[in-house]
Amino acid sequence: MKSFSFAFNGLQILFKEEHNSRIHFVAAIIVIIAGIIFHITAYEWLALVFVIGLVIAMEAINSALENLADFVSPGKHDQIKKVKDLAAAGVLISATTALIVGLIIFLPKIQDLLITK
């Protein structure tokens, strides 16, 4: 149970201190609402839940690495910059993947909505 309390504390820190995580969270809420409105299938929900979790998990890992890097090397250092940039790239890759999944799921539904009107 103590491990869960550490993890929930990490989530609280993530959403309280990391601006980008709040942006991802708001985007996730919007996507969930869109999924409800468009009555997406179980497989589409599976894909969305997976990519939402992936993006938030990558944001947590990125934030942890940035905090550790800042602690270890408060000054500017080329290797620390490289670590931070690579971690940020992981978030970018996961967010881009989530965007593509969202487009694959929602574009046809939006097109159908516009064509039927």
Side-chain angles (χ1 to χ4, degrees):
M1 289 305 285
K2 195 143 180 107
S3 296
F4 282 110
S5 71
F6 295 143
F8 285 115
N9 186 51
L11 281 173
Q12 185 178 5
I13 293 167
L14 180 67
F15 291 114
K16 182 179 179 186
E17 296 181 10
E18 301 298 330
H19 175 71
N20 287 343
S21 68
R22 291 190 299 271
I23 293 171
H24 292 302
F25 183 71
V26 169
I29 297 298
I30 292 168
V31 167
I32 290 167
I33 291 168
I36 292 167
I37 290 169
F38 285 108
H39 305 287
I40 64 174
T41 68
Y43 289 114
E44 291 169 332
W45 275 117
L46 234 125
L48 288 181
V49 168
F50 182 80
V51 293
I52 288 169
L54 176 67
V55 171
I56 292 173
M58 289 301 298
E59 188 64 53
I61 292 168
N62 178 50
S63 297
L65 283 171
E66 284 187 355
N67 278 280
L68 180 61
D70 290 344
F71 177 76
V72 170
S73 179
K76 297 215 182 245
H77 192 280
D78 288 342
Q79 282 302 109
I80 295 296
K81 180 184 181 326
K82 187 175 181 179
V83 168
K84 287 177 152 186
D85 288 352
L86 286 166
V91 176
L92 178 63
I93 291 165
S94 66
T96 302
T97 301
L99 175 65
I100 292 167
V101 168
L103 291 173
I104 290 168
I105 291 171
F106 290 112
L107 268 183
K109 295 174 186 336
I110 293 168
Q111 287 175 332
D112 288 346
L113 184 68
L114 295 175
I115 290 171
T116 57
K117 283 195 170 194

